[in-house]
Amino acid sequence: MSDTKPPAIDPLLAARTAEALALPHLVCRRRDCRRKNRCLWCFRSTGERCCMRNLTAEQRRIFDVVYHEAAAAWHFLGTDPHWFEAREGERRTHNDLGIAIARTDPGRWRREKWDAERRAREKRLARFDREQASGKHGSKRGRG
């Protein structure tokens, strides 16, 4: 075993991630969490949400992927938006979910720039989707 501790979890971002994945409703054993569909309880020592202990290994892996995507969006969308330029596939889905979760956190750094980058990304993706639907999308690799 390694002596290093796992990286600290931001309790508020973890709560928003758990809520996006419906963990309070589906796996939490706390009545207030289930009734309010909100993640209300965490372990003070680690910041880990209480419902996380009830997850299977696969569910925990999915939570970790979504949480890390949300943390990356929270930290970097306002400063390095090029990390979120995926246009299709699973990568775009992960980016979209991470940005949606990070958007709910009122403590985002440089909020105005972050929101401006999010809106610019949405416009780029809407334009790309329209081009795909109309068949006019010209890829940089060329045709044929």
Side-chain angles (χ1 to χ4, degrees):
M1 284 191 94
S2 172
D3 290 335
T4 61
K5 291 182 179 179
I9 278 186
D10 175 13
L12 296 176
L13 193 60
R16 300 299 84 79
T17 303
E19 290 165 7
L21 296 174
L23 296 184
H25 185 70
L26 298 174
V27 299
C28 193
R29 294 183 182 134
R30 303 266 183 188
R31 177 180 255 175
D32 355 346
C33 295
R34 287 192 311 269
R35 284 192 173 176
K36 294 180 181 176
N37 258 347
R38 303 244 5 234
C39 200
L40 302 170
W41 294 87
C42 71
F43 297 106
R44 290 180 192 220
S45 59
T46 62
E48 183 182 51
R49 307 320 288 181
C50 292
C51 58
M52 307 278 287
R53 299 278 171 101
N54 304 331
L55 299 177
T56 65
E58 179 64 17
Q59 291 169 331
R60 178 59 194 242
R61 186 191 68 74
I62 292 169
F63 175 86
D64 288 339
V65 167
V66 174
Y67 172 80
H68 290 300
E69 195 66 39
W74 189 88
H75 289 296
F76 300 116
L77 184 64
T79 56
D80 294 326
H82 66 279
W83 291 105
F84 303 95
E85 291 184 355
R87 292 184 173 187
E88 21 185 18
E90 187 176 333
R91 186 80 220 139
R92 178 180 172 178
T93 304
H94 286 251
N95 287 343
D96 290 344
L97 185 55
I99 290 169
I101 292 168
R103 184 179 181 199
T104 64
D105 190 350
R108 294 187 309 273
W109 184 69
R110 297 185 67 184
R111 179 185 211 115
E112 298 81 20
K113 182 152 176 50
W114 197 95
D115 286 335
E117 290 295 343
R118 179 188 52 78
R119 286 190 300 272
R121 178 182 180 273
E122 287 175 357
K123 287 180 184 176
R124 284 191 306 270
L125 292 177
R127 188 176 337 117
F128 174 77
D129 291 342
R130 280 193 307 272
E131 290 172 358
Q132 286 289 98
S134 68
K136 291 192 231 177
H137 176 66
S139 73
K140 292 181 180 178
R141 292 184 219 143
R143 297 183 185 195

